[in-house]
């Protein structure tokens, strides 16, 4: 069974449509979404509707927590705060109701799923270094944990108390504990503007990362048209 792992869609329907096309080609049977479906982009409703329809697991990210009033928006950066204020004005009551029922982590038979870190889900802490990953790997409650939040694809393995950073592009999940980030669909920050997502093949125990091109200029134009900060449009073109 092949499961897609997506995160940080951030209201970018242009990127999401390109990812959807590739998911159909890959015969993916299910999708897990690690949160931050809204914020930054101009199409929060369309993206929430997509995850409602396609994902068996959807988590709350920090942008949803702010949108729902569960955390104060002053904890977000200026761009994120402005985007959340804008999103509050356009999000539909049905989508808001759907988001309100979600949690900050989920367990499946094989995996732990979080938006930020298994150490303290919902804390908004980032896993960016091997040290961060080490603490997270020790705290996770399944051998495989998927996380998002950094918008940077990454994979770490803990084996006999040593942490290794592995290539995330094709990974055989053998002995040890794994902590894997599929990158961001809607706002990649690793200097590669292509949408990022992962596919986890449960039978083969293999994780593969995919990057797909999409019309970044169209997504950027819509951000400007919505009156959102210019930088949120510019960064899509650069992948930062
Ligand atoms: Zn995010």
């Amino acid at each position: 069974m092949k499961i897609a792992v997506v995160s940080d869609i951030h209201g970018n329907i242009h990127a999401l449509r390109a990812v959807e096309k590739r998911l159909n080609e890959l015969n993916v049977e299910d999708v897990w979404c690690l949160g931050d479906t809204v914020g930054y982009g101009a199409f929060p409703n369309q993206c929430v509707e997509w995850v409602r329809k396609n994902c068996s697991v959807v988590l709350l990210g920090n942008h949803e927590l702010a949108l729902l009033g569960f955390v104060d928006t002053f904890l977000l950066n200026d761009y994120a705060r402005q985007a959340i204020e804008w999103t509050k004005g356009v999000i539909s009551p049905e989508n808001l109701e759907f988001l309100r029922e979600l949690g900050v982590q989920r367990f499946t038979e094989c995996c732990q799923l979080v938006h930020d870190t298994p150490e303290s889900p919902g804390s908004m802490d980032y896993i960016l270094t091997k040290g961060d990953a080490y603490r997270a790997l020790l705290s996770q409650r399944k051998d495989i944990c998927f996380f998002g939040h950094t918008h940077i694809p990454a994979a770490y393995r803990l084996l006999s108390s040593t942490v290794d950073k592995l290539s995330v592009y094709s990974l055989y999940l053998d002995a040890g504990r794994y902590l894997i980030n599929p990158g961001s669909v809607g706002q990649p920050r690793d200097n590669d503007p292509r949408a990022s997502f992962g596919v986890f093949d449960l039978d083969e125990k293999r994780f593969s990362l995919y990057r797909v091109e999409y019309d970044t200029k169209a997504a950027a134009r819509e951000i400007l048209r919505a009156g959102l900060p210019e930088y949120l449009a510019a960064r899509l073109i650069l992948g930062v």
Side-chain angles (χ1 to χ4, degrees):
M1 180 167 179
K2 284 203 236 174
I3 300 167
V5 188
V6 302
S7 191
D8 297 277
I9 297 166
H10 281 298
N12 187 340
I13 196 69
H14 296 81
L16 187 55
R17 293 278 178 238
V19 167
E20 180 181 47
K21 187 165 172 276
R22 183 63 66 85
L23 294 183
N24 290 335
E25 291 162 6
L26 291 166
N27 295 318
V28 160
E29 288 162 73
D30 193 5
V31 187
W32 295 340
C33 171
L34 307 180
D36 274 6
T37 305
V38 307
Y40 296 137
F43 296 93
N45 282 310
Q46 290 82 345
C47 292
V48 173
E49 275 144 28
W50 191 91
V51 300
R52 283 172 67 177
K53 187 169 152 226
N54 292 286
C55 303
S56 68
V57 175
V58 183
L59 299 181
L60 289 175
N62 48 305
H63 285 250
E64 283 85 36
L65 290 172
L67 177 69
L68 294 164
F70 295 153
V71 301
D72 207 307
T73 51
F74 83 83
L75 292 169
L76 305 176
N77 68 58
D78 281 354
Y79 300 117
R81 186 167 47 246
Q82 286 179 58
I84 286 303
E85 292 307 329
W86 179 87
T87 304
K88 279 180 185 169
V90 299
I91 195 85
S92 75
E94 297 77 31
N95 286 335
L96 212 50
E97 210 43 56
F98 168 78
L99 294 173
R100 209 185 298 281
E101 298 304 315
L102 305 177
V104 292
Q105 75 173 330
R106 274 280 290 274
F107 294 93
T108 68
E109 215 175 297
C110 59
C111 304
Q112 183 172 3
L113 310 174
V114 297
H115 178 66
D116 42 19
T117 169
E119 226 186 329
S120 47
S123 65
M124 302 196 228
D125 288 343
Y126 289 91
I127 300 171
L128 289 165
T129 65
K130 256 166 113 173
D132 300 335
Y134 183 65
R135 288 196 312 277
L137 282 156
L138 287 181
S139 71
Q140 71 190 50
R141 285 155 63 188
K142 294 274 186 179
D143 280 339
I144 302 168
C145 177
F146 290 105
F147 74 105
H149 193 42
T150 65
H151 298 208
I152 296 170
Y156 301 92
R157 179 185 57 199
L158 179 67
L159 188 62
S160 358
S161 64
T162 304
V163 179
D164 287 308
K165 190 165 187 191
L166 308 171
S167 163
V168 68
Y169 276 86
S170 184
L171 195 61
Y172 178 56
L173 305 180
D174 203 347
R177 283 188 158 197
Y178 291 86
L179 181 61
I180 303 170
N181 188 323
S184 167
V185 170
Q187 195 197 77
R189 294 180 189 162
D190 59 345
N191 301 305
D192 180 346
R194 294 176 301 167
S196 183
F197 68 94
V199 173
F200 178 38
D201 189 321
L202 268 114
D203 308 310
E204 290 186 13
K205 290 190 134 202
R206 181 168 292 284
F207 176 85
S208 307
L209 191 85
Y210 291 86
R211 303 301 290 252
V212 293
E213 287 192 19
Y214 73 95
D215 193 343
T216 50
K217 285 188 184 148
R221 258 197 316 272
E222 295 298 333
I223 284 174
L224 297 177
R225 206 209 303 262
L228 287 157
E230 235 171 85
Y231 176 63
L232 296 178
R235 71 189 305 178
L236 292 186
I237 312 288
L238 300 169
V240 294

